[in-house]
Amino acid sequence: MRPGPAPLADAVTSTAGRRGAEGTPSGVPSPAPTGRHARTRPRPGALRAAAGLAPFAVYLLIFLAAPTVIAVATGFTTADGTPTMANITALADPVIIATFTNSLWLSALTAVLGALIGAAVCLSLLALPEDGAVRRSVDAASGVLAQFGGVMLAFAFIATIGIQGLITVGLRDGFGIDIFADGTWIYELPGLILPYLYFQVPLMVITFMPALGALRQTWVEAVLTLGGTTGVFWRRVALPVLAPSFLASTLLLFANAFSSYATAAALSSQGSAIVPLQIRAALTSETVLGRENLAGALALGMLAVMAVVMSLYALMQRRASRWQ
Amino acid sequence: MAVTSPAPVAPAVPSGARPRRRTAGPSRPAPRTATAVITLSLIAAAFAIPLISMLEFSLRTADGHGLDHWIALFSPETAGRYSVIWTGLGNSLILALVTVAIVLLLLAPTMLLVTLRFPRLRRTMELLCLLPLSLPAIVLVVGLVPIYLGIGRSLGTGAWTLAFAYGVTVIPYAYRAIQSNIDAVDVVTLSEAARTLGAGWLSVVLRVLVPNLRRGLLAACLISVAVVLGEFTIASLLNRSTLQTALFVVNKQDPYAAVILSLLSLAFAYVLLVLIGRVGGPRRGPRRRRDRATS
């Protein structure tokens, strides 16, 4: 307990203790409580206070726990509710495996590229004044663009590299380069890479920038005093210190791309190249591999991947927090 | 990377050591300014291309460029053609309002209650509130379909009911905004002081805590609005009409209108985000203070 608030806390706990003795039979007498102890000790009206937690708990139960459980459970049942493993075994179908491979590959590629470009932005920003206009507008722009994924992002890229897009037409008329010589890839899997990078890089800036706060000028000075160079500082001090944060941010980017649906849905209204689109197909009851309730099994597969990624993320964050 | 463990570095930086020079050089190691400016300019240019393309696309007319599509979108004669957009926008605004209400009336009071009366539940609360981050919306939808069948029967199929689902997707962001404010203000001492002076719980919350937490609460509201206005996955798969699903529909008849509206909502989101930065920057305040202390 810090010296400042102690009298207040004692005053409150002593009245609380008195009322507790009257009200609840199990009212614990307070032998000169320390602040921390006093705060966690049951007080009068604890039951009523606990009831105050109920609405939020019920809300989370209905709209967070129930949907998750239902999503996973439907993977194990048929349309009329009889238990079955058929949907789970359907995950081994070559089509589904190919979709998961596509999703994992796309997420990994855009996560790594996004992380590298985003880290370059963050490091460059270090050279500019912290309260400067550039820094502030990059902050705001990253916030907007990281949320930009979705229908509007698809429009933007159709206007850019669509069949009539500015870049497509410009390259064709100006340089005689047809970017769609090998087929209109923008509506297929490769077409997702650029739009995904467009929200991955800003997310990297948002998540990685705070980690750079760990770097201290004193460390550079220490390295220089001990006979090193700035290059040695970046390689042997900054790199190991920043590595956990960098990996954590990359994992977050992976999760972000893996769970992203709207951009792909707006770009390809028919295809099912990635898992979320496969779930859409299963939900809108187009027959996928002739199975009902496949959506649940696919959701379970996604959750499994997310669980692994987010656990690794938490692990990396814990390592990174040593330097924050 | 594995060559050097970070550990040997630490002893070189005793925590008491402070650099003598206060003004010379940056307080942080940084690359050369020229390199930084070139890198940033290149990346900024690349990111500007799609936005410029959208603007150029919206200005295309049958014979060159002009403001035709912009005028058509807002002129009264063609209002009927775009009615789906205005319905969607209306629904999205209502959803934003209900979601903000969920944040302010359900999430925030629970967070205060946990801080004041159940500090031991803090970790649990944090875990629960950040959980939706690792739950893809598309997975949530699979489980929400049957739940919304039930809601449709009891509460009707109005678009506003989606706010319950949106509340869950917004919780992690709102939680972080409010919690960082709660951490910065000594909520426990404040409320104990107010209680000692005879205030009832209601006036403690409304007259002491809310004014102290207004930055965090406002930031939480703004980020909630931004997320709700941009949400597509849940609305589209539950067949509700919102701004994003309406844009998707309109794009099929009139891509120009869809692109113009996208540009406008981007501009709106930018203003909203700048406002959040101005209002709270809840993470920014304490950090800057620490920087100053160490440099």
Side-chain angles (χ1 to χ4, degrees), chain B residues 83-233:
Chain B
S83 62
V84 55
I85 284 279
W86 307 127
T87 318
L89 183 61
N91 283 342
S92 280
L93 291 177
I94 295 171
L95 279 171
L97 212 65
V98 182
T99 310
V100 163
I102 290 175
V103 166
L104 290 183
L105 302 179
L106 196 58
L107 176 66
T110 310
M111 289 175 68
L112 282 178
L113 196 61
V114 167
T115 315
L116 293 175
R117 302 297 298 267
F118 304 100
R120 280 183 192 171
L121 291 180
R122 206 198 130 141
R123 296 288 306 163
T124 317
M125 182 76 181
E126 184 179 9
L127 194 76
L128 281 176
C129 287
L130 296 186
L131 201 59
L133 276 187
S134 42
L135 204 63
I138 185 86
V139 169
L140 207 57
V141 162
V142 176
L144 281 173
V145 169
I147 291 179
Y148 269 87
L149 279 178
I151 290 182
R153 267 183 241 118
S154 51
L155 295 173
T157 53
W160 68 272
T161 52
L162 272 187
F164 296 122
Y166 284 4
V168 168
T169 61
V170 152
I171 279 177
Y173 307 103
Y175 171 83
R176 273 195 287 212
I178 300 174
Q179 188 63 43
S180 63
N181 202 165
I182 288 184
D183 291 342
V185 176
D186 195 347
V187 169
V188 176
T189 310
L190 275 180
S191 67
E192 280 172 358
R195 291 283 287 162
T196 315
L197 294 170
W201 275 116
L202 198 66
S203 57
V204 168
V205 171
L206 292 182
R207 296 175 62 188
V208 177
L209 297 182
V210 169
N212 272 294
L213 297 176
R214 62 184 186 280
R215 283 164 169 264
L217 292 173
L218 193 54
C221 293
L222 291 173
I223 189 83
S224 304
V225 170
V227 170
V228 170
L229 293 186
E231 211 287 329
F232 173 76
T233 310

Side-chain angles (χ1 to χ4, degrees), chain B residues 5-22:
Chain B
S5 105
V9 181
V13 198
S15 58
R18 294 274 184 275
R20 294 275 161 77
R21 292 167 293 116
R22 298 202 57 129

Side-chain angles (χ1 to χ4, degrees), chain A residues 2 5 8-9 11-12 19 39-40 43-46 49-50 52-53 55-56 59-60 62-64 66-68 70-71 74 117 120-121 123-128 130-131 134-141 143-145 147-149 151-152 155-160 164-167 169 197-199 201-202 206 209-210 212-222 226 233-234 236-237 239-241 243 247 259 261-262 265-266 269 276 279-280 283-284 295-296 299 302-303 306 310 319 322-324, chain B residues 1 3-7 9-10 12-13 17-19 21 26-33 35-37 39-40 43 46-54 56-57 60 102 106-107 110 113-114 116-121 125 128-129 131-148 151 163-168 171 173 186 188-189 192-193 195-196 223 226-227 230 232-233 236-237 244 247-248 251 258-259 261-262 265-266 269-270 273-274 278 283-284 287-288 290-291 294:
Chain A
R2 280 148 295 130
L8 278 178
V12 171
R19 261 188 279 145
R39 275 173 208 172
T40 47
R43 287 188 208 168
L53 296 176
F56 189 68
Y59 174 68
L60 284 189
I62 297 178
F63 290 97
L64 182 64
T68 316
I70 291 174
T74 52
I117 302 173
V121 173
L123 286 173
S124 304
L125 283 177
L126 283 183
L128 301 171
E130 191 168 353
D131 295 328
V134 177
R135 185 73 177 268
R136 256 183 296 138
S137 41
V138 170
D139 276 353
V144 176
L145 295 181
Q147 292 283 339
F148 184 34
V151 185
M152 303 189 292
F155 296 165
F157 274 85
I158 291 172
T160 313
Q164 290 301 320
L166 186 64
I167 297 293
V169 174
L197 279 180
Y198 206 77
F199 60 72
V201 173
I206 295 176
M209 200 67 216
L212 291 182
L215 295 182
R216 300 263 176 272
Q217 183 65 23
T218 43
W219 296 357
V220 185
E221 285 161 11
L226 295 170
F233 164 75
W234 285 109
R236 314 220 18 199
V237 179
L239 195 68
V241 165
L247 288 178
S259 51
Y261 163 81
S269 41
I279 293 183
R280 169 180 71 179
L283 274 183
T284 49
M302 279 191 86
L303 277 183
M306 288 298 281
M310 294 311 276
R319 254 189 92 66
R322 283 168 51 184
W323 300 104
Q324 293 301 313
Chain B
M1 212 159 47
V3 185
T4 324
S5 105
V9 181
V13 198
R18 294 274 184 275
R21 292 167 293 116
S27 60
R28 293 256 172 85
R32 281 198 196 94
T33 317
T35 325
V37 170
T39 315
L40 282 180
I43 294 171
F47 271 80
I49 292 174
L51 300 177
I52 295 169
S53 302
M54 277 173 108
E56 191 267 347
F57 184 79
R60 281 184 200 176
I102 290 175
L106 196 58
L107 176 66
T110 310
L113 196 61
V114 167
L116 293 175
R117 302 297 298 267
F118 304 100
R120 280 183 192 171
L121 291 180
M125 182 76 181
L128 281 176
C129 287
L131 201 59
L133 276 187
S134 42
L135 204 63
I138 185 86
V139 169
L140 207 57
V141 162
V142 176
L144 281 173
V145 169
I147 291 179
Y148 269 87
I151 290 182
F164 296 122
Y166 284 4
V168 168
I171 279 177
Y173 307 103
D186 195 347
V188 176
T189 310
E192 280 172 358
R195 291 283 287 162
T196 315
I223 189 83
V227 170
F232 173 76
T233 310
S236 126
L237 289 170
Q244 299 295 323
L247 279 176
F248 187 66
N251 181 48
V259 165
L261 287 162
S262 302
S265 24
L266 261 187
Y270 187 81
L273 262 283
V274 169
R278 285 275 161 76
R283 265 165 291 150
R284 207 176 276 172
R287 220 181 79 208
R288 205 181 283 161
R290 199 185 65 195
D291 293 347
T294 51

